[in-house]
């Protein structure tokens, strides 16, 4: 009888431990995807679309605009989503997190007519790009420059947006702040 009670006790403890750690994992995944869900409210891809081209990125980052060091800058909701598939469509970009990391996240479709591309700095890199969308204030999707340039090769509209972002980057760089010497 003692062995049965011990087995029952160990089973109950194991089940409670699994439930606790499963709930903790669910909470962490849910909290880390909060910025993605803010984009889902306006830009969820409800219908499947066939992209002109698609590519697996290393990661994308959802964060406040401007130079940030992630959590060290006080942006506690800054999150990097690895790996993400970027699709180029005639009218926009699609983002899809690769399973099993996509738990609770629907695909996004970002139309070009509601998009602005700005120069962004990401940790030690200062040549990256941030995508800002109408209706989602205070958050941008930061992507590595090689992915954005690959996408711009397949979309004339995105190419023009990147050229504009580069002009903004050049105008706001250190050379733009220098005062010309008097003649």
């Amino acid at each position: 009888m003692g062995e049965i009670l011990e087995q029952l006790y160990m089973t109950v403890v194991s089940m409670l431990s699994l439930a606790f750690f499963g709930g903790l994992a669910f909470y962490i995944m849910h909290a880390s995807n909060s910025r993605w869900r803010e984009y889902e409210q306006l830009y969820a891809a409800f219908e499947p679309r066939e992209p002109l081209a698609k590519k697996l990125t290393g990661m994308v980052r959802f964060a406040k605009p401007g130079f940030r060091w992630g959590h060290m800058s006080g942006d506690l909701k800054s999150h990097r989503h690895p790996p993400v598939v970027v699709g180029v469509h005639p009218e926009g970009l699609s983002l899809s997190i690769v399973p099993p990391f996509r738990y609770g996240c629907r695909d996004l479709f970002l139309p070009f007519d509601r998009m602005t591309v700005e120069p962004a700095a990401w940790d030690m890199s200062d040549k990256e790009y941030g995508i800002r969308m109408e209706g989602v204030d205070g958050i941008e999707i930061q992507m590595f420059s090689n992915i954005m340039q690959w996408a711009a090769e397949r979309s004339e509209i995105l190419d023009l947006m990147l050229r504009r972002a580069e002009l903004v980057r050049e105008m706001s760089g250190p050379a733009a702040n220098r005062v010309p010497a008097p003649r």
Side-chain angles (χ1 to χ4, degrees):
M1 182 75 172
E3 290 179 19
I4 294 174
L5 287 176
E6 185 177 339
Q7 287 287 337
L8 186 61
Y9 172 75
M10 292 304 290
T11 302
V12 169
V13 168
S14 298
M15 290 173 51
L16 288 174
S17 298
L18 281 173
F20 173 76
F21 287 113
L24 183 63
F26 172 78
Y27 173 75
I28 290 170
M29 288 187 299
H30 186 75
S32 65
N33 292 330
S34 64
R35 293 259 168 112
W36 187 281
R37 284 193 308 278
E38 288 184 44
Y39 273 83
E40 275 183 359
Q41 293 173 2
L42 295 173
Y43 299 107
F46 292 108
E47 58 201 46
R49 301 172 189 237
E50 191 59 35
L52 300 172
K54 61 183 176 179
K55 186 172 185 171
L56 183 67
T57 68
M59 69 178 69
V60 298
R61 177 176 158 188
F62 285 63
K64 292 179 184 177
F67 179 71
R68 299 273 182 234
W69 282 84
H71 300 305
M72 295 185 338
S73 64
D75 188 5
L76 298 178
K77 292 177 87 178
S78 171
H79 188 68
R80 297 164 190 207
H81 293 279
V84 175
V85 175
V86 175
V88 180
H89 302 266
E91 61 279 341
L93 294 176
S94 62
L95 301 177
S96 176
I97 299 175
V98 174
F101 305 106
R102 71 179 296 153
Y103 178 79
C105 296
R106 291 184 282 176
D107 295 347
L108 299 178
F109 182 76
L110 309 172
F112 290 136
D113 62 345
R114 301 189 71 196
M115 177 188 301
T116 305
V117 177
E118 300 291 336
W122 181 349
D123 294 344
M124 299 294 277
S125 254
D126 62 348
K127 300 286 186 198
E128 310 312 336
Y129 296 100
I131 297 175
R132 297 183 191 169
M133 299 298 295
E134 288 179 17
V136 185
D137 297 327
I139 307 171
E140 70 181 3
I141 302 170
Q142 297 173 349
M143 287 193 205
F144 291 120
S145 58
N146 62 340
I147 296 299
M148 291 296 286
Q149 289 164 355
W150 167 85
E153 291 172 3
R154 286 144 183 85
S155 170
E156 187 177 337
I157 297 169
L158 189 58
D159 185 45
L160 293 172
M161 288 183 189
L162 289 188
R163 288 182 192 189
R164 179 204 160 271
E166 284 305 315
L167 287 173
V168 169
R169 190 185 317 265
E170 288 173 15
M171 290 172 45
S172 64
N177 295 331
R178 279 190 247 147
V179 178
R183 295 184 179 188

